[in-house]
Amino acid sequence: MERFVCVNGSDNLQIPGDVLESLEIRELTDVHLRADRIVEVSRRMKAGGWIRLPFCNTLCCEALGAVPVLSLSGARVKEPPYRRAEELPDRLKAETERLTAMLSAVELLAGEGNCVAYNIEGPFTLLCSLLPMNRVFSALRKEEGVKLLEKAESWVCDYAALAVGRGVRLLSFADPVAAVDILGEKMFSSVYVPSLKRVLDRLRSEFPDTPIHLCGKLSQCLLDTRFCTAERRESEGRCASYGEALSSFCETGQNGVIGHFCLNYLKAKRTYLTLLEL
Amino acid sequence: MSEKEKLLAELDRCVLEMEDEAVIEVAEKYVAGGHDAYDGITEGLSRGMEKAGKLYEEEEYFVPELLICSDAMYNGLDVLKPHLKAGGTDHKYPVIIGVVEGDTHDIGKNLVKIMMDTAGFDVHDLGRDVPVSSFIEKAKEVGHGLLCMSTLMTTTMVNMGRVIDGLKEAGIRDDFKVMVGGGPLSKSYADKIGADIYTSNAAEAANVAKVIAEAFIA
């Protein structure tokens, strides 16, 4: 199987300038706080039969206390809001203005019959957005690390539940901090992979009708460390793109983990999926 | 081995073995013994951090280990620094470092900062998502040295060129060597925006910085 190489460089889905221009979007509140405008933008960005939502990468962090800097080109958490692990909240505050708008947009789009893919971030990336990275890694080496990870895993699942409850068809899972070249094989294998497995098992059990698409970089790390096997699955029926192959898979009602490719290439002429078994 | 040598070796070991809590007690014992704080830093803490950096280069240590080693080093520094004798340190070559505006990925920048700190530079860390104007203001304040910028995103690379333009507009471009790095960058891109140096990893960045500082001092 060929190696997956990420050339995207960003985990943030950007709105193309021509979309902003044609919809006359000039205020950042339009793309962050107004469900109707988010819906319009997302419709324009539809690719391969799928709707993806821009700027949802920091919503979970915000619901956990982060204060993102908003702009027309995205949202980013400039500084971690907490200094110590003990300060982290147990639960998400789902009623933030931005998350409310985003979930309303998801509901509207899904209600129109669109296939909606929703990005969620894994426990390591969430933790490293909320706490200084050295504190996260220091805590993970100690006894307190077990509880810290359990808490982060619950955030991921609770956040996914909000999206699935609004009708998303596919969860797109990435955890950019959790790469072997960052963590090293030891921490990746002994700490991260068990955590990832717990999250994926829980997501699959709680949302049996919603497949999970694992980021290509993460998939490649799992393959490199032999924590997963990959199976090429040709799509059923005629598909012209990766997006259509995904839709076809979702229609079969199978609940699997797909990966080794990237949702930024939904229009790619790739008519097969790679199913992962962890 | 004298008591001082034993404690220096212990400071070194605490940093290398990520004993971020135990190092405080050792540093306190070292100070209480009346030993020179500057030696404690250079021959104890920094030595441990240099070894950690070497292990990172050799891919024995990774980002988590290096960050925890640096925590141990900084914890030890907190104890030793107040006991430094005035004028006991060499003049330090200044380094300004930050992740350019629009990007919050700071792993690489933090590693470079740690390595520069360890190498004895006077590091001014501007953090991440740093506006062009903040780089320029800090450069005016510091006056000369090495200005390091990083980014992981193609969409924010352009801000590196803007900082260089800002240095030119402020009339201080020649007072700084500009070093750039980060995932999507290359030597050709560095050349294109007028940077002086491109480095592909933290260890290389620190090594090149040492050469620049030595040339400046000479």
Side-chain angles (χ1 to χ4, degrees):
Chain A
M1 182 168 285
E2 79 282 14
R3 285 192 69 76
F4 175 85
V5 179
C6 179
V7 292
N8 185 36
S10 167
D11 32 317
N12 187 11
L13 179 63
Q14 301 261 325
I15 304 175
D18 61 325
V19 173
L20 291 171
E21 192 68 34
S22 63
L23 293 173
E24 296 183 343
I25 290 175
R26 302 205 181 7
E27 301 296 324
L28 59 89
T29 49
D30 282 1
V31 285
H32 289 287
L33 300 176
R34 282 184 52 184
D36 58 333
R37 296 295 259 166
I38 296 171
V39 166
E40 284 180 277
V41 168
S42 303
R43 282 193 198 121
R44 290 287 181 95
M45 291 171 65
K46 192 169 182 173
W50 285 86
I51 294 268
R52 294 177 68 208
L53 284 306
F55 308 160
C56 53
N57 61 323
T58 52
L59 287 167
C60 187
C61 290
E62 188 177 11
L64 289 161
V67 183
V69 177
L70 307 180
S71 73
L72 286 177
S73 57
R76 51 192 193 271
V77 177
K78 194 165 177 169
E79 293 300 332
Y82 304 105
R83 304 303 301 169
R84 297 182 307 138
E86 306 86 82
E87 296 167 6
L88 292 167
D90 290 327
R91 318 275 311 176
L92 305 170
K93 277 189 187 165
E95 55 279 357
T96 68
E97 199 177 356
R98 215 158 60 92
L99 182 53
T100 303
M102 183 62 75
L103 293 174
S104 299
V106 170
E107 197 162 20
L108 280 163
L109 289 160
E112 290 171 355
N114 290 299
C115 285
V116 179
Y118 196 82
N119 290 6
I120 58 172
E121 289 178 318
F124 270 43
T125 299
L126 279 181
L127 284 170
C128 289
S129 296
L130 296 167
L131 279 176
M133 194 176 266
N134 54 340
R135 298 286 164 88
V136 175
F137 292 136
S138 179
L140 289 177
R141 290 180 73 239
K142 297 169 186 166
E143 219 167 279
E144 61 183 298
V146 176
K147 280 191 177 171
L148 185 64
L149 266 186
E150 278 174 7
K151 193 183 265 192
E153 289 162 16
S154 288
W155 296 335
V156 176
C157 296
D158 291 349
Y159 184 58
L162 294 171
V164 174
R166 303 310 195 279
V168 309
R169 293 288 305 278
L170 182 74
L171 289 168
S172 171
F173 184 102
D175 207 344
V177 170
V180 175
D181 59 352
I182 294 175
L183 300 182
E185 196 164 335
K186 191 177 161 199
M187 179 173 262
F188 185 82
S189 305
S190 61
V191 182
Y192 184 68
V193 172
S195 171
L196 175 68
K197 280 185 176 172
R198 286 193 295 271
V199 170
L200 293 180
D201 286 348
R202 202 166 142 187
L203 292 175
R204 291 179 74 179
S205 146
E206 289 180 18
F207 317 118
D209 302 324
T210 313
I212 300 158
H213 191 284
L214 225 56
C215 156
K217 275 196 289 189
L218 180 54
S219 309
Q220 189 60 58
C221 288
L222 292 166
L223 287 166
D224 288 344
T225 48
R226 300 184 181 178
F227 279 105
C228 82
T229 54
E231 179 204 339
R232 178 175 163 138
R233 177 78 61 91
E234 298 297 333
S235 57
E236 292 171 17
R238 293 180 64 184
C239 294
S241 67
Y242 189 63
E244 288 181 25
L246 276 172
S247 306
S248 170
F249 178 82
C250 289
E251 278 163 20
T252 64
Q254 294 175 75
N255 171 350
V257 178
I258 307 154
H260 207 246
F261 204 55
C262 178
L263 286 193
N264 287 322
Y265 307 127
L266 285 164
K267 288 193 277 191
K269 289 177 183 165
R270 181 178 174 117
T271 58
Y272 65 91
L273 304 178
T274 304
L275 295 188
L276 303 174
E277 195 65 51
L278 277 83
Chain B
M1 193 186 269
S2 69
E3 181 65 15
K4 181 182 176 183
E5 285 169 335
K6 276 184 199 164
L7 288 169
L8 287 173
E10 192 58 5
L11 287 171
D12 172 339
R13 187 198 65 78
C14 282
V15 172
L16 184 63
E17 295 182 8
M18 297 170 270
E19 299 277 6
D20 55 340
E21 288 164 11
V23 72
I24 297 170
E25 201 179 317
V26 178
E28 285 169 349
K29 207 169 169 184
Y30 180 86
V31 167
H35 307 301
D36 185 72
Y38 184 72
D39 293 346
I41 294 170
T42 55
E43 293 171 35
L45 300 173
S46 290
R47 204 159 280 180
M49 199 62 217
E50 278 165 23
K51 288 177 188 168
K54 187 92 177 75
L55 289 177
Y56 178 74
E57 278 183 68
E58 291 166 358
E59 298 189 2
E60 282 294 321
Y61 275 9
F62 286 84
V63 173
E65 288 84 3
L66 208 57
L67 289 179
I68 301 167
C69 287
S70 74
D71 269 2
M73 181 183 73
Y74 290 125
N75 285 349
L77 277 175
D78 285 345
V79 177
L80 297 183
K81 262 187 174 173
H83 300 276
L84 281 172
K85 291 170 192 155
T89 55
D90 296 327
H91 172 71
K92 288 180 167 185
Y93 190 74
V95 173
I96 298 168
I97 189 167
V99 179
V100 293
E101 187 166 25
D103 193 354
T104 56
H105 299 92
D106 61 356
I107 297 175
K109 185 271 294 175
N110 288 338
L111 297 185
V112 174
K113 175 190 181 283
I114 290 165
M115 298 241 180
M116 300 268 192
D117 268 337
T118 308
F121 289 95
D122 176 22
V123 183
H124 301 262
D125 182 10
L126 303 183
R128 57 194 197 184
D129 194 8
V130 181
V132 172
S133 59
S134 300
F135 276 106
I136 306 304
E137 279 163 29
K138 182 53 82 176
K140 283 180 184 168
E141 179 193 320
V142 172
H144 77 282
L146 180 64
L147 191 147
C148 305
M149 294 179 278
S150 73
T151 187
L152 190 72
M153 296 162 63
T154 50
T155 48
T156 50
M157 284 158 62
V158 65
N159 287 327
M160 293 179 162
R162 288 179 182 145
V163 171
I164 294 171
D165 291 343
L167 290 174
K168 285 179 193 161
E169 282 163 25
I172 52 175
R173 175 66 184 89
D174 294 340
D175 299 328
F176 287 88
K177 291 285 182 191
V178 177
M179 181 188 282
V180 294
L185 269 81
S186 61
K187 169 81 171 63
S188 62
Y189 185 77
D191 291 341
K192 189 178 150 194
I193 60 173
D196 301 301
I197 309 140
Y198 161 76
T199 52
S200 61
N201 62 65
E204 187 189 354
N207 288 335
V208 173
K210 281 182 210 166
V211 173
I212 291 168
E214 279 160 16
F216 175 79
I217 291 159

